[in-house]
Amino acid sequence: MPTTDDQWYFRKEDFQSTPSVYDSITPQDERTIRAKGCGFINSVGNSLRFTQTTIATACTLFHRFYMRQSLKTHHHYMMAGTCIFVASKIEEQQRKIRDIVQVCNRKAKRTDAVLSEDSKDFIRWRDNLILQEEVLLEYNCFDLTIEHPYPLLLDYCKQAQASKRLQYTAWAFVNDSYRSYACLLFRPSVVAATALYLAARILDEDLQMSRSDKPWWDCLEVAFSDIEECSHELLDMYTYVPSAQSRPSHEA
Amino acid sequence: MRVEVGEAMNARTESRYVKDKKIGEGTYAVVYQGTEISTQRMVAIKKIKMGHFKSGLDMSAIREVKALRELAHPNVIELIDVFSHKTNLNLVLEFLDTDLEMVIKDTDLIFKAADIKSWLLMTLRGLHHCHRNWLLHRDLKPNNLLIARDGQLKLADFGLARDYGEMTATMTSQVVTRWYRAPELLFGAKRYGYGIDIWSVGCIFAELMLRTPYLPGDTDMEQLDTIFRALGTPTEDEWPHLTSLPDYVQFKAYPKTPLRTLFTATTADALDLLEKMLVYNPVKRTSALEAIQHPYFQNLPRPTHPARLPKPAMNINEGSVAAKRRLDPG
């Protein structure tokens, strides 16, 4: 079965004609709602102590799904929960479904209350996760191997002999990138290079690739024009995601 | 224009195949023999039961789809398509009518040394492809090595397969059918690597020569005892950190007996390769690539061409027995 991940990369103008936009959600609102969904994935994922890879996989499944389905037919929190559920299986970090349900409910309602397992809310969450799992997989065309910028970033940091501070900051930029459309617009190598670039700019550190006089992005075989474009995508996100404004967060 | 891409695509996929008849049923799937309408190609359709799982789609199904979508190799079963129907997930796989276990058990067949070399080489090629793609199979045994009509051997049943990068992630040691399970797994190792698959291949290699399972133990403890009787009890010297494995227990110190005593008719190069696959220290065990490059495969006789390998006399009904047996757990 051929795997073409080309179908998962889009042009900027494609976001003006998504299923949600046809459902009369403005492109800007869609961005905000999707960022919220990914924020939800992040906080549920962190509570369940998932790795950043699992969280990133969940966010990618989420974004890919909404390129084919509308936010009006599938509520973003319910879908975000399903993405976490499926990602936990894909990335071999299974949790009991009842634990996922409890955390989803807590984060969605911002309470500390524990649901009883025969309550309406519990059953609704659980049944939805199981039902939507298949829908999510289907619209994701069963593409279950998803590459992320993290391993590349570690490699780039090594090549650049980046300080710990620089590494953490760049890592946080990658974490935050999932709230934007970066994973639908740019390959993991571009996102990793951009995160490193932005981190160096913020911290006012110089990037010097060892063993080369070429500009550092050339050593990584990433075009600087891509880094510039991706920088805009990432930085724009901080203006429309209220909760991300005080970030980047240092969740490594 | 608003298109339901996923759903439409899914319906299109589904309509490309017909299910002909049920050929087997296991704990998490029913297998049908089917046909790809456009090409009249025979396929196997593995229908994953979803409904009765309390935690949604079974991990084996997820692992299998994930692994097979990444792998395309003549010695790995081909995943042709995936589609869902109502609440079932369907994997369309290439149809293969027999497996290595059936071949080994068929007493009418005589194996030449070159035949064994050919099956082993195909197994290692498929396995090397998995390992090159950072994937552990974790359940190699003769009945997971399927054989196509043209004699090509193909690794199948990726329900336990998982990504493997470095020795960092902990994994369950409850993998691999007991007789083919590496000693580090039997001692409860949670960090292990490609060596566990190589151990299984070693056991399969020996089984091809002996025509009977090489190390059949009835319980995990007996399995270790069987291994140590055959290959000698390992010492901390040849296998560092052995005694600190989670489930380590001390065994009677069996002496090392040369493989030659059991494998009397085998050539020296074959025994050397077998020995390298059954090294106790997982770090020192040979890799799939090293094994492929071993002199055994360069020396004469040349491996038999797949099409000329011995094959059980088959009718379609026997094929379904194989498919059914494959699905039975354990």
Side-chain angles (χ1 to χ4, degrees), chain A residues 1-3 22-23 69 85 89-90 92 94 97 130 133-134 137-139 141-145, chain B residues 4 6-7 9 50 54-57 59 63 66 69-70 79-82 84 86-87 89 162:
Chain A
M1 192 165 168
T3 43
Y22 281 110
D23 250 353
Q69 280 293 300
F85 179 51
K89 294 186 187 185
I90 296 182
E92 300 274 352
Q94 292 136 275
I97 190 165
I130 292 177
E133 172 180 40
E134 197 200 334
L137 285 170
E138 200 175 288
Y139 285 98
C141 298
F142 303 96
D143 279 340
L144 307 185
T145 302
Chain B
E4 306 281 21
E7 227 159 80
M9 249 169 33
M50 308 239 283
K54 285 208 183 77
S55 49
L57 199 52
M59 268 308 287
R63 288 190 178 124
K66 189 180 177 202
R69 290 221 53 178
E70 287 297 297
L79 177 66
I80 301 165
D81 253 323
V82 186
S84 58
K86 289 177 192 151
T87 59
L89 182 64
R162 65 166 288 176

Coordinates of all heavy atoms in Angstrom, one line a residue, chain A residues 1-3 22-23 69 85 89-90 92 94 97 130 133-134 137-139 141-145, chain B residues 4 6-7 9 50 54-57 59 63 66 69-70 79-82 84 86-87 89 162:
Chain A
M1 N 0.9 -1.2 0.0 CA 0.0 0.0 0.0 C 0.9 1.2 0.0 O 1.7 1.4 0.9 CB -0.8 0.0 1.3 CG -2.0 0.9 1.3 SD -3.1 0.5 2.6 CE -4.1 2.0 2.7
P2 N 0.8 2.1 -1.0 CA 1.7 3.2 -1.1 C 1.4 4.3 0.0 O 0.3 4.5 0.3 CB 1.4 3.8 -2.5 CG 0.0 3.4 -2.8 CD -0.2 2.1 -2.1
T3 N 2.4 4.8 0.6 CA 2.2 5.9 1.5 C 2.7 7.1 0.9 O 3.9 7.3 0.6 CB 3.0 5.6 2.8 OG1 4.3 5.2 2.5 CG2 2.3 4.6 3.7
Y22 N -16.5 26.2 4.7 CA -17.7 26.0 4.0 C -18.9 26.0 4.9 O -20.1 26.2 4.5 CB -17.7 24.8 3.2 CG -16.9 24.9 1.9 CD1 -15.7 24.3 1.7 CD2 -17.4 25.7 0.8 CE1 -14.9 24.5 0.5 CE2 -16.7 25.9 -0.3 CZ -15.5 25.3 -0.5 OH -14.8 25.5 -1.6
D23 N -18.7 25.6 6.2 CA -19.7 25.6 7.2 C -19.9 27.0 7.8 O -20.3 27.1 9.0 CB -19.4 24.6 8.2 CG -20.3 23.4 8.2 OD1 -21.3 23.4 7.4 OD2 -20.1 22.4 8.9
Q69 N -13.0 17.4 7.6 CA -14.3 17.5 8.3 C -14.4 18.8 8.9 O -13.5 19.5 9.2 CB -14.3 16.4 9.3 CG -14.7 15.0 8.8 CD -16.1 14.9 8.2 OE1 -17.1 15.1 9.0 NE2 -16.2 14.6 6.9
F85 N -6.5 9.6 22.4 CA -6.8 8.2 22.6 C -6.1 7.4 21.5 O -5.4 6.4 21.8 CB -8.3 8.0 22.6 CG -8.8 6.6 22.7 CD1 -8.4 5.8 23.7 CD2 -9.7 6.1 21.8 CE1 -8.9 4.5 23.9 CE2 -10.2 4.8 21.9 CZ -9.8 4.0 22.9
K89 N -2.3 4.9 21.4 CA -2.1 3.6 20.9 C -1.0 3.6 19.9 O -0.1 2.7 19.9 CB -3.3 3.1 20.3 CG -4.5 2.9 21.3 CD -5.7 2.2 20.6 CE -6.9 2.1 21.5 NZ -8.0 1.4 20.9
I90 N -1.0 4.6 19.0 CA 0.0 4.6 17.9 C 1.4 4.7 18.5 O 2.3 4.1 18.0 CB -0.2 5.8 17.0 CG1 -1.5 5.8 16.3 CG2 0.9 6.0 16.0 CD1 -1.8 6.9 15.3
E92 N 2.4 3.7 21.4 CA 2.6 2.7 22.4 C 2.7 3.3 23.8 O 3.6 3.0 24.6 CB 4.0 2.0 22.1 CG 4.0 1.2 20.8 CD 3.4 -0.2 20.8 OE1 3.1 -0.7 21.9 OE2 3.2 -0.8 19.7
Q94 N -0.2 3.3 25.9 CA -1.6 3.0 26.3 C -1.9 3.4 27.7 O -1.2 3.2 28.6 CB -2.0 1.6 26.1 CG -2.0 1.1 24.6 CD -1.3 -0.2 24.5 OE1 -0.1 -0.3 24.4 NE2 -2.1 -1.3 24.6
I97 N -8.9 3.5 29.2 CA -9.8 4.5 28.5 C -10.5 5.3 29.6 O -10.7 6.5 29.5 CB -10.8 3.8 27.6 CG1 -11.6 4.8 26.8 CG2 -11.8 2.9 28.3 CD1 -12.3 4.3 25.6
I130 N -14.7 5.8 21.5 CA -14.6 4.5 20.8 C -15.2 4.7 19.4 O -14.7 4.2 18.4 CB -15.3 3.4 21.6 CG1 -14.5 3.1 22.8 CG2 -15.5 2.1 20.8 CD1 -15.1 2.1 23.8
E133 N -13.0 7.0 17.1 CA -11.7 6.5 16.9 C -11.6 6.1 15.4 O -10.6 6.4 14.7 CB -11.4 5.3 17.8 CG -10.1 4.5 17.4 CD -9.9 3.3 18.3 OE1 -10.8 2.6 18.7 OE2 -8.7 3.1 18.7
E134 N -12.6 5.3 15.0 CA -12.6 4.8 13.6 C -12.7 5.9 12.6 O -12.1 5.9 11.5 CB -13.7 3.8 13.5 CG -13.6 2.9 12.3 CD -14.9 2.3 12.0 OE1 -15.8 2.2 12.9 OE2 -15.1 2.0 10.8
L137 N -9.5 7.7 12.2 CA -8.5 6.9 11.5 C -8.8 6.9 10.0 O -7.9 7.0 9.1 CB -8.5 5.4 12.0 CG -7.8 5.2 13.3 CD1 -8.0 3.8 13.8 CD2 -6.3 5.5 13.2
E138 N -10.1 6.8 9.7 CA -10.5 6.8 8.3 C -10.2 8.1 7.6 O -9.6 8.0 6.5 CB -12.0 6.6 8.3 CG -12.6 6.0 7.0 CD -14.1 5.8 7.2 OE1 -14.4 4.8 7.9 OE2 -14.8 6.6 6.7
Y139 N -10.5 9.2 8.2 CA -10.2 10.5 7.6 C -8.7 10.8 7.6 O -8.2 11.6 6.8 CB -11.0 11.6 8.2 CG -12.4 11.6 7.7 CD1 -13.4 11.0 8.5 CD2 -12.8 12.0 6.5 CE1 -14.7 10.9 8.1 CE2 -14.1 11.9 6.0 CZ -15.0 11.4 6.8 OH -16.3 11.3 6.4
C141 N -6.8 8.4 6.7 CA -6.4 7.4 5.7 C -5.4 6.4 6.4 O -4.6 5.8 5.7 CB -5.7 8.1 4.5 SG -6.8 9.1 3.6
F142 N -5.6 6.1 7.6 CA -4.8 5.1 8.3 C -3.3 5.4 8.2 O -2.5 4.5 8.3 CB -5.1 3.7 7.8 CG -6.6 3.4 8.0 CD1 -7.5 3.5 6.9 CD2 -7.1 2.9 9.2 CE1 -8.8 3.2 7.0 CE2 -8.4 2.6 9.3 CZ -9.3 2.8 8.2
D143 N -2.9 6.6 8.0 CA -1.5 7.0 8.1 C -1.1 7.1 9.5 O -1.4 8.1 10.2 CB -1.3 8.3 7.4 CG -1.2 8.1 5.9 OD1 -0.9 7.0 5.4 OD2 -1.4 9.1 5.1
L144 N -0.4 6.1 10.0 CA -0.2 6.0 11.5 C 1.3 6.3 11.8 O 1.6 6.4 13.0 CB -0.6 4.7 12.1 CG -2.0 4.2 11.8 CD1 -2.3 2.9 12.5 CD2 -3.0 5.3 12.2
T145 N 2.1 6.5 10.8 CA 3.5 6.8 11.1 C 3.7 8.3 10.8 O 3.6 8.7 9.7 CB 4.5 6.0 10.3 OG1 4.2 4.6 10.5 CG2 5.9 6.3 10.7
Chain B
E4 N -16.9 14.9 0.6 CA -16.6 14.1 1.8 C -15.4 13.2 1.4 O -15.7 12.0 1.2 CB -17.8 13.3 2.3 CG -19.0 14.1 2.5 CD -19.0 14.8 3.8 OE1 -17.9 15.1 4.4 OE2 -20.1 15.2 4.3
G6 N -12.8 11.6 2.7 CA -12.5 10.4 3.4 C -13.6 9.3 3.2 O -13.3 8.2 2.8
E7 N -14.8 9.7 3.4 CA -15.9 8.8 3.3 C -16.0 8.2 1.9 O -16.2 7.0 1.6 CB -17.2 9.4 3.7 CG -18.1 8.6 4.6 CD -19.0 9.5 5.4 OE1 -20.1 9.8 4.7 OE2 -18.8 9.9 6.5
M9 N -13.7 8.1 -0.4 CA -12.6 7.3 -0.7 C -12.8 5.9 -0.1 O -12.5 4.9 -0.7 CB -11.3 7.9 -0.1 CG -10.4 8.4 -1.2 SD -9.1 9.4 -0.6 CE -8.7 8.7 1.0
M50 N -14.6 -4.8 16.1 CA -14.3 -3.6 16.9 C -15.3 -3.6 18.1 O -14.9 -3.2 19.2 CB -14.5 -2.4 16.1 CG -13.7 -2.4 14.8 SD -12.5 -1.0 14.8 CE -13.6 0.3 14.3
K54 N -13.7 -3.1 24.8 CA -14.0 -2.1 25.8 C -13.2 -0.8 25.6 O -13.5 0.3 25.9 CB -13.9 -2.5 27.2 CG -15.1 -3.5 27.6 CD -15.3 -3.4 29.1 CE -16.4 -4.3 29.6 NZ -15.9 -5.7 29.7
S55 N -12.0 -1.0 25.0 CA -11.1 0.1 24.8 C -10.9 0.4 23.4 O -9.8 0.9 23.0 CB -9.8 -0.1 25.6 OG -9.3 -1.3 25.2
G56 N -11.9 0.2 22.6 CA -11.9 0.6 21.2 C -11.0 -0.4 20.4 O -10.9 -1.6 20.7
L57 N -10.4 0.1 19.3 CA -9.7 -0.7 18.4 C -8.5 -1.4 19.1 O -7.8 -0.8 19.8 CB -9.2 0.2 17.3 CG -8.8 -0.4 16.0 CD1 -9.9 -1.4 15.4 CD2 -8.5 0.6 15.0
M59 N -5.0 -3.1 20.0 CA -3.7 -2.6 19.7 C -3.0 -3.4 18.5 O -2.3 -2.9 17.7 CB -2.8 -2.8 20.9 CG -2.7 -1.7 21.8 SD -2.2 -0.1 21.0 CE -0.5 -0.4 20.7
R63 N -1.1 -1.8 15.5 CA 0.3 -2.1 15.2 C 0.5 -2.7 13.8 O 1.4 -2.4 13.1 CB 0.8 -3.2 16.2 CG 1.0 -2.6 17.6 CD 1.8 -3.6 18.5 NE 2.0 -3.1 19.8 CZ 1.6 -3.7 20.9 NH1 0.9 -4.8 20.8 NH2 1.9 -3.2 22.1
K66 N 0.0 0.0 11.2 CA 1.2 1.0 11.2 C 2.4 0.4 10.6 O 3.1 1.0 9.8 CB 1.4 1.4 12.7 CG 2.4 2.5 12.8 CD 2.6 2.9 14.2 CE 3.7 4.0 14.3 NZ 4.4 4.0 15.6
R69 N 2.0 -0.5 6.7 CA 2.0 0.7 5.8 C 3.4 1.2 5.5 O 3.6 1.9 4.5 CB 1.1 1.8 6.4 CG -0.4 1.4 6.4 CD -1.2 2.6 6.0 NE -0.9 3.2 4.8 CZ -1.5 4.2 4.2 NH1 -2.6 4.7 4.8 NH2 -1.1 4.7 3.1
E70 N 4.3 1.0 6.4 CA 5.6 1.5 6.3 C 6.5 0.5 5.5 O 7.6 0.9 5.0 CB 6.3 1.7 7.6 CG 5.8 2.8 8.4 CD 6.1 4.1 7.7 OE1 7.2 4.5 7.5 OE2 5.1 4.8 7.2
L79 N 0.3 -5.1 2.5 CA -1.0 -4.6 2.9 C -1.5 -3.8 1.7 O -1.0 -2.8 1.3 CB -0.9 -3.7 4.1 CG -2.2 -3.0 4.6 CD1 -3.2 -4.0 5.1 CD2 -1.9 -1.9 5.7
I80 N -2.6 -4.3 1.1 CA -3.0 -3.7 -0.2 C -3.9 -2.5 0.1 O -3.8 -1.5 -0.6 CB -3.8 -4.8 -1.0 CG1 -2.8 -5.9 -1.3 CG2 -4.3 -4.1 -2.3 CD1 -3.6 -7.2 -1.8
D81 N -4.8 -2.6 1.1 CA -5.7 -1.5 1.4 C -6.2 -1.6 2.8 O -6.1 -2.7 3.4 CB -7.0 -1.7 0.5 CG -7.0 -0.6 -0.6 OD1 -6.6 0.5 -0.3 OD2 -7.4 -0.9 -1.8
V82 N -6.8 -0.6 3.3 CA -7.5 -0.6 4.5 C -8.8 0.2 4.3 O -8.9 1.2 3.7 CB -6.8 0.2 5.6 CG1 -7.5 0.0 7.0 CG2 -5.3 -0.3 5.7
S84 N -13.0 0.8 6.3 CA -13.9 0.5 7.4 C -15.3 0.3 6.8 O -15.7 0.9 5.8 CB -13.8 1.5 8.5 OG -14.2 2.8 7.9
K86 N -19.2 -0.1 8.3 CA -20.0 0.0 9.6 C -19.0 0.2 10.7 O -18.3 1.1 10.8 CB -20.9 -1.2 9.7 CG -22.1 -1.1 8.7 CD -23.0 -2.3 8.8 CE -23.9 -2.3 7.6 NZ -24.4 -3.6 7.3
T87 N -19.0 -0.8 11.7 CA -18.0 -0.6 12.8 C -16.8 -1.6 12.7 O -16.2 -1.8 13.7 CB -18.7 -0.8 14.1 OG1 -19.2 -2.1 14.2 CG2 -19.8 0.2 14.3
L89 N -13.1 -2.7 11.0 CA -12.0 -2.3 10.2 C -11.5 -3.4 9.3 O -11.5 -4.6 9.8 CB -10.9 -1.8 11.2 CG -9.6 -1.3 10.5 CD1 -9.8 0.0 9.8 CD2 -8.6 -1.1 11.7
R162 N 6.6 -3.4 16.8 CA 6.6 -2.0 17.3 C 7.9 -1.3 16.9 O 8.9 -1.9 16.6 CB 6.3 -1.9 18.7 CG 7.3 -2.5 19.7 CD 7.1 -2.0 21.1 NE 7.5 -0.6 21.2 CZ 7.3 0.1 22.3 NH1 6.7 -0.4 23.4 NH2 7.7 1.4 22.4

